[in-house]
């Protein structure tokens, strides 16, 4: 059986993650050899919202904690537009639109998509029929997910064509993220294509205080298609195996193939024993393609999508405030952020690339406005005089930036500053409402939304973990993270305020000095456990009075895989309940 992530980390020289999952590899290995199953955001929440006829699907889904608080609020506002707006199709293909070298006579993007289909949708498999039946019985899902994807779909189809790839791959963001550019999973996967940090880095997707390329529409699409191309070559052009590997890792699929070869069994995707998520992942994409190939056969009307670019790429030449960019382009900031979801702050990355995506109709106006707009006014600066008691960290906190940014911009060699020294601090041209649309009110509204339990404000202390806090308040780790727009793997910064809907009747107020927290933390111990013959996750969970999901989370385990004797686990147990 495959080793778990904890054991692999002890043996590996480095950690490289596969798409949508932290995947353990040695420094000499390629993500194509990954053996960990993907944990993408997926479309589960979106499906549920469609079934319940909820308009604002995924508006409260977690966001990457690297995004500044004011832009988190903006992302939620943009998401509501993503979920409700009908895409305005460009009337004509403007000369300044994004060009990819592909020309077609089709005026209908759907027909162009069908013309590039190359996978077998007619395979007779129950798993495919199951997915097909769900989509056919929920036609509203197709309509709404393509409302979301309309901004990006022409570009993605064009890129698959340019590379000579099956255009079914253009539908993969539906499966990965339901076309939510802000999608963020508990496995720290981000963006339309759900890359985790390490795999993103391997494919050139950089992250900084200012931005995250995993959410960049152009950069992430390029990385995902490159990844899929390499996987297809690994499996001799079989894209069902390549897709399975995108989800569960090339090493997982290769191991399954070897097992079947040794047992003299077929080695096609449908014959392999793969993780449960992967077994449904490929059929889901094929079912979508089958519906898009002949929507009338399933009683589905596809929304109109013109075969023309929705956005154009405009070179800005330098860093630019996003609110100012929206003003110059005469478009609203929601639209600017939906097309440029990679930015963590109020401005573009000072290190580039210096480009923004804008609606085609706004591109020429934006270019002309940029030519006459002074470079020194594109970002505002505060000329700050250092005072007694200041440090780079306190100054950074005051101006909502970071010490490394101040060091870099002022060419400082270290953290030493002197009273009276002048520092240039970047700042937004507008107030927080310009970017966040009343961020404080929006946050208050979200935190005040009635839920089960008692609302508690908690200030993070040094040494706190999501598990400690969740256990104290008798809630799930993932719930606690989601209420605060975080993922369970995100770091908890001392002093950060969390909102908790506590199920612990004894706890009514929690703070940095919470005696309840101190009392419970004092009774919890981190222990190492070596798996014995006959052990299972259920048996270990019962022995130590913890949840199976907690054990899986602490050790990044796939509950579909068996434990191996001698395997090392980390457990956090309450000594009052331990054996």
């Amino acid at each position: 059986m495959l080793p778990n992530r904890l054991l692999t980390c002890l043996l590996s020289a480095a950690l490289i993650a596969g798409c949508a999952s932290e995947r353990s590899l040695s420094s000499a290995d390629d993500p194509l050899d990954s053996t960990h199953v993907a944990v993408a955001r997926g479309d589960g929440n979106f499906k549920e919202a469609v079934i319940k006829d909820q308009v604002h699907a995924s508006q409260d889904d977690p966001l990457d904690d690297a995004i500044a608080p004011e832009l988190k609020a903006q992302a939620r506002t943009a998401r509501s537009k993503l979920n409700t707006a009908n895409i305005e199709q460009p009337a004509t293909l403007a000369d300044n639109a994004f060009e990819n070298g592909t020309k077609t006579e089709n005026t209908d993007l759907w027909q162009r998509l069908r013309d590039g289909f190359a996978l077998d949708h007619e395979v007779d498999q129950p798993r495919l029929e199951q997915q097909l039946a769900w989509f056919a019985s929920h036609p509203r899902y197709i309509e709404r997910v393509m409302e979301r994807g309309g901004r990006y779909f022409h570009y993605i189809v064009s890129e698959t064509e340019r590379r000579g790839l099956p255009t079914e791959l253009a539908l993969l963001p539906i499966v990965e993220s339901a076309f939510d550019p802000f999608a963020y999973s508990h496995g720290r996967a981000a963006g339309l294509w759900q890359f985790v940090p390490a795999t993103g880095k391997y494919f050139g997707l950089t992250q900084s205080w200012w931005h995250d390329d995993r959410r960049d529409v152009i950069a992430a699409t390029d990385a995902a298609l490159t990844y899929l191309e390499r996987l297809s070559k690994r499996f001799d052009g079989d894209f069902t195996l390549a897709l399975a590997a995108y989800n569960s890792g090339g090493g997982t699929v290769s191991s399954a193939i070897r097992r079947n070869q040794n047992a003299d069994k077929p080695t096609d995707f449908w014959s392999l024993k793969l993780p449960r998520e992967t077994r449904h992942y490929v059929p889901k994409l094929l079912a979508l393609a089958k519906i898009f190939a002949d929507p009338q056969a399933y009683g589905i009307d596809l929304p109109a999508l013109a075969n023309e670019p929705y956005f154009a790429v405009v070179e800005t030449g330098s860093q630019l405030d996003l609110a100012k960019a929206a003003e110059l382009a005469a478009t609203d900031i929601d639209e600017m952020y939906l097309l440029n979801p990679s930015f963590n702050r109020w401005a573009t990355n000072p290190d580039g690339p210096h480009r923004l995506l804008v609606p085609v109709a706004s591109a020429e106006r934006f270019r002309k406005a940029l030519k006459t707009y002074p470079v020194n006014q594109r970002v505002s600066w505060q000329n700050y005089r250092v005072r007694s008691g200041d440090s780079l960290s306190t100054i950074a906190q005051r101006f909502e930036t970071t010490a490394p940014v101040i060091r870099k911009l002022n060419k400082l060699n270290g953290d030493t500053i002197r009273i009276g020294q002048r520092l240039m601090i970047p700042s937004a041209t507008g107030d927080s409402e310009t970017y966040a649309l009343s961020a404080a009110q929006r946050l208050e509204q979200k935190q005040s939304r009635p839920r089960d339990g008692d609302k508690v404000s908690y200030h993070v202390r040094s040494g706190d973990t999501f598990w400690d806090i969740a256990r104290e308040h008798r809630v799930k780790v993932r719930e606690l993270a989601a209420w605060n727009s975080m993922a369970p793997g995100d770091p908890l910064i001392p002093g950060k305020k969390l909102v908790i809907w506590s199920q612990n009747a004894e706890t009514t107020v929690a703070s940095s000095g919470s005696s309840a927290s101190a009392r419970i933390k004092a009774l919890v111990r981190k222990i190492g456990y070596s798996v014995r013959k006959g052990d299972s996750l259920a048996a270990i969970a019962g022995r130590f009075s913890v949840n199976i999901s907690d054990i899986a989370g602490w050790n990044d385990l796939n509950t579909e895989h068996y434990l191996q004797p001698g395997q090392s686990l980390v457990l956090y147990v309450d000594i009052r309940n331990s054996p």
Side-chain angles (χ1 to χ4, degrees):
M1 299 302 294
L2 300 174
N4 66 29
R5 177 175 179 260
L6 180 62
L7 183 56
T8 306
C9 285
L10 294 173
L11 298 175
S12 298
L15 187 66
I16 300 176
C19 186
S21 169
E22 294 288 359
R23 293 168 179 163
S24 305
L25 305 168
S26 77
S27 59
D29 284 336
D30 187 299
L32 276 65
D33 292 323
S34 165
T35 57
H36 280 207
V37 181
V39 185
R41 186 66 199 170
D43 64 348
N45 285 10
F46 185 68
K47 279 185 171 180
E48 184 178 349
V50 169
I51 292 171
K52 294 180 179 179
D53 200 26
Q54 294 173 341
V55 174
H56 297 298
S58 76
Q59 191 171 354
D60 290 334
D61 279 0
L63 292 168
D64 193 334
D65 210 38
I67 302 175
E70 65 271 18
L71 286 195
K72 278 191 175 181
Q74 183 62 56
R76 295 186 190 101
T77 302
R79 267 178 168 164
S80 70
K81 182 174 181 178
L82 183 74
N83 289 321
T84 59
N86 290 318
I87 302 298
E88 293 185 8
Q89 298 300 322
T92 59
L93 177 57
D95 292 337
N96 58 2
F98 186 90
E99 297 289 352
N100 54 45
T102 302
K103 257 193 151 181
T104 176
E105 298 301 319
N106 292 332
T107 58
D108 179 5
L109 185 57
W110 299 123
Q111 188 55 50
R112 182 177 169 189
L113 175 75
R114 295 178 195 115
D115 289 345
F117 280 173
L119 304 185
D120 183 6
H121 313 159
E122 302 305 321
V123 60
D124 184 14
Q125 288 289 338
R127 280 178 279 163
L128 175 57
E129 293 303 318
Q130 180 184 16
Q131 296 290 341
L132 195 61
W134 192 94
F135 289 125
S137 62
H138 296 86
R140 180 67 175 137
Y141 173 92
I142 301 294
E143 178 184 345
R144 287 185 61 182
V145 82
M146 291 316 302
E147 283 178 354
R148 287 167 156 235
R151 289 175 176 81
Y152 321 109
F153 199 55
H154 182 277
Y155 175 76
I156 295 173
V157 170
S158 298
E159 284 300 290
T160 58
E161 284 182 337
R162 184 179 67 81
R163 292 169 176 254
L165 296 172
T167 51
E168 287 96 339
L169 301 184
L171 302 173
L172 194 57
I174 300 178
V175 181
E176 288 287 329
S177 64
F179 269 122
D180 179 0
F182 305 108
Y184 188 60
S185 81
H186 64 82
R188 300 177 67 211
L192 293 173
W193 297 93
Q194 290 288 279
F195 279 96
V196 293
T199 301
K201 183 178 180 181
Y202 184 92
F203 285 100
L205 302 179
T206 60
Q207 293 175 250
S208 74
W209 185 77
W210 291 98
H211 84 300
D212 188 336
D213 274 345
R214 297 177 301 155
R215 297 195 306 272
D216 185 283
V217 175
I218 290 177
T221 297
D222 178 71
L225 295 181
T226 297
Y227 193 7
L228 286 162
E229 275 184 320
R230 293 185 187 178
L231 287 168
S232 71
K233 290 176 182 177
R234 176 188 178 111
F235 296 106
D236 300 322
D238 188 327
F239 273 94
T240 57
L241 296 179
L243 287 162
Y246 190 88
N247 177 254
S248 64
T252 299
V253 176
S254 292
S255 294
I257 290 173
R258 285 193 297 271
R259 283 196 300 270
N260 276 26
Q261 287 174 335
N262 293 336
D264 199 24
K265 294 180 179 179
T267 57
D268 61 284
F269 166 77
W270 304 99
S271 301
L272 298 181
K273 185 176 181 180
L274 293 166
R276 181 176 58 184
E277 181 175 336
T278 309
R279 292 199 301 270
H280 296 290
Y281 180 88
V282 177
K284 183 183 289 188
L285 180 72
L286 294 178
L288 286 167
K290 192 167 184 176
I291 285 177
F292 281 81
D294 188 7
Q296 288 76 21
Y298 301 95
I300 292 176
D301 293 322
L302 297 178
L305 282 181
N307 186 18
E308 297 176 353
Y310 181 83
F311 61 77
V313 180
V314 176
E315 300 295 328
T316 62
S318 65
Q319 187 180 30
L320 182 62
D321 185 294
L322 292 174
K324 179 57 66 177
E327 179 184 332
L328 294 175
T331 189
D332 66 69
I333 198 166
D334 283 345
E335 187 66 31
M336 186 65 71
Y337 204 35
L338 284 171
L339 291 176
N340 301 276
S342 66
F343 297 114
N344 294 332
R345 295 296 179 270
W346 43 268
T348 61
N349 186 358
D351 297 326
H354 298 302
R355 61 164 167 75
L356 284 172
L357 310 187
V358 297
V360 165
S362 302
E364 193 56 35
R365 175 190 179 112
F366 188 35
R367 287 192 180 98
K368 289 179 178 178
L370 282 171
K371 287 181 180 179
T372 60
Y373 198 73
V375 173
N376 61 3
Q377 294 181 23
R378 294 184 177 189
V379 177
S380 294
W381 300 86
Q382 295 281 346
N383 189 334
Y384 180 75
R385 182 177 180 272
V386 177
R387 298 177 293 189
S388 176
D390 275 344
S391 68
L392 282 186
S393 61
T394 59
I395 295 171
Q397 187 175 15
R398 189 176 306 143
F399 288 97
E400 296 183 345
T401 183
T402 68
V405 168
I406 297 175
R407 275 198 304 270
K408 181 176 181 179
L409 294 175
N410 291 274
K411 299 180 179 179
L412 302 177
N413 293 324
D415 291 336
T416 303
I417 52 177
R418 64 182 186 277
I419 297 173
Q421 182 177 354
R422 292 284 180 176
L423 297 174
M424 296 300 294
I425 314 292
S427 64
T429 57
D431 58 22
S432 61
E433 291 191 0
T434 304
Y435 307 89
L437 303 183
S438 303
Q441 295 177 17
R442 196 175 309 283
L443 183 61
E444 175 67 24
Q445 183 181 34
K446 178 183 178 182
Q447 293 179 339
S448 299
R449 185 175 301 164
R451 305 178 192 268
D452 292 336
D454 297 318
K455 181 182 175 183
V456 170
S457 294
Y458 181 86
H459 290 84
V460 175
R461 302 184 300 176
S462 178
D464 270 344
T465 67
F466 274 116
W467 184 83
D468 290 327
I469 300 169
R471 187 170 179 85
E472 174 186 345
H473 293 277
R474 299 177 185 173
V475 298
K476 295 179 180 178
V477 169
R478 291 182 185 176
E479 287 179 336
L480 173 59
W483 295 332
N484 294 279
S485 295
M486 300 176 71
D490 289 342
L492 286 175
I493 308 301
K496 181 180 179 67
K497 179 183 175 182
L498 301 178
V499 167
I500 308 166
W501 291 91
S502 179
Q503 301 297 317
N504 187 348
E506 297 177 0
T507 305
T508 55
V509 177
S511 67
S512 59
S514 170
S515 59
S517 176
R519 183 173 63 252
I520 292 177
K521 284 171 70 71
L523 296 172
V524 174
R525 295 287 185 273
K526 176 182 177 180
I527 66 169
Y529 180 81
S530 181
V531 175
R532 307 166 189 170
K533 186 177 180 180
D535 268 345
S536 66
L537 286 176
I540 297 171
R543 188 177 307 144
F544 291 96
S545 299
V546 296
N547 295 322
I548 293 175
S549 59
D550 285 334
I551 299 176
W554 297 330
N555 297 279
D556 195 20
L557 298 176
N558 182 345
T559 56
E560 291 291 301
H561 293 167
Y562 291 108
L563 296 174
Q564 296 298 302
Q567 185 174 335
S568 298
L569 300 178
V570 170
L571 305 175
Y572 293 87
V573 302
D574 188 328
I575 59 175
R576 295 170 297 182
N577 301 324
S578 59

